[in-house]
Amino acid sequence: ENPIPEYLRNGVEHPVVASLQERLMKLGFMDNDEPTQFFGNVTEAAIKVYQRQNGLAQDGIVGPETFTSIMSPAAKYYAVAKGVCGDDITRIQTRLYELGYLADAAQVNGTFGDETEVAVRKLQEVNGLNIDGKVGRQTINLLYSEEIKPNLVSYGEKSDVVLASQKRLKELGYLMTEADGAYGND
């Protein structure tokens, strides 16, 4: 009775949108939530990220090619690595900063660079995941779970997180030596 539109885009309401959202959630491109029949901003953003990862035109519109790709049993799960830019990277970096894996709020810039890769590697190490510096299925699921362990610095560690902490301690008058990034006796 209600034929599937050839193109699904922001503002469209149709039962097939719920199936599309459910598939995007399963693949890790959308947060797990209750699928709806409405194609809104969140769905559009997830589609653009899926299109970016799969070499499709990043227009946020689900035409026949994008629809077939997403619904395929061979569809790829969400994965990002160094060199990728986007709003999804900003969200990942924000979470890494909140958990103490990125040293400075200025590192939340939407570009997956060396600093983000180092932070992801540390997160994977602390949380017992395969250390590859990429945000794939396991890492993204852990990143937003209650089981995640935050970054705790300890004596002997040398990192940007330690350096940022030392600089802040110096500003507040607690550290009398120069900040060097090495967690020592001072």
Side-chain angles (χ1 to χ4, degrees):
E1 282 182 32
N2 190 0
I4 297 173
E6 186 176 2
Y7 293 94
L8 300 168
R9 63 184 75 212
N10 203 331
V12 169
E13 192 166 347
H14 191 279
V16 75
V17 173
S19 299
L20 183 66
Q21 291 171 342
E22 189 175 335
R23 182 72 174 142
L24 288 166
M25 288 174 202
K26 182 175 181 182
L27 294 172
F29 290 90
M30 282 181 77
D31 290 340
N32 285 327
D33 201 357
E34 190 64 35
T36 68
Q37 295 185 19
F38 183 72
F39 192 123
N41 294 336
V42 173
T43 304
E44 182 180 45
I47 294 297
K48 285 180 180 178
V49 171
Y50 181 87
Q51 290 169 328
R52 179 192 71 208
Q53 181 173 315
N54 289 277
L56 301 166
Q58 295 178 51
D59 56 10
I61 298 170
V62 179
E65 185 181 14
T66 299
F67 187 81
T68 301
S69 177
I70 291 170
M71 300 312 255
S72 166
K76 297 177 191 169
Y77 284 88
Y78 177 84
V80 290
K82 194 161 69 170
V84 175
C85 300
D87 292 341
D88 56 321
I89 305 304
T90 302
R91 284 190 298 277
I92 290 168
Q93 291 171 327
T94 299
R95 186 68 175 141
L96 289 168
Y97 178 66
E98 291 168 351
L99 293 165
Y101 289 99
L102 281 176
D104 190 302
Q107 294 172 321
V108 178
N109 57 22
T111 299
F112 197 127
D114 292 336
E115 295 165 333
T116 303
E117 184 180 43
V118 168
V120 170
R121 285 180 167 281
K122 178 74 183 218
L123 173 135
Q124 291 168 332
E125 177 188 338
V126 168
N127 288 276
L129 297 179
N130 180 38
I131 303 168
D132 62 4
K134 299 174 185 172
V135 178
R137 189 176 183 183
Q138 283 187 316
T139 303
I140 199 75
N141 287 340
L142 177 68
L143 199 57
Y144 297 102
S145 77
E146 292 181 17
E147 287 81 39
I148 191 156
K149 296 175 189 166
N151 186 23
L152 302 175
V153 294
S154 59
Y155 183 80
E157 183 174 331
K158 186 173 174 98
S159 70
D160 288 342
V161 173
V162 173
L163 182 62
S165 299
Q166 288 173 328
K167 286 179 179 178
R168 183 66 178 139
L169 288 169
K170 184 132 179 105
E171 286 173 14
L172 296 171
Y174 291 106
L175 184 66
M176 300 306 149
T177 59
E178 288 305 309
D180 61 2
Y183 191 137
N185 289 329
D186 294 344

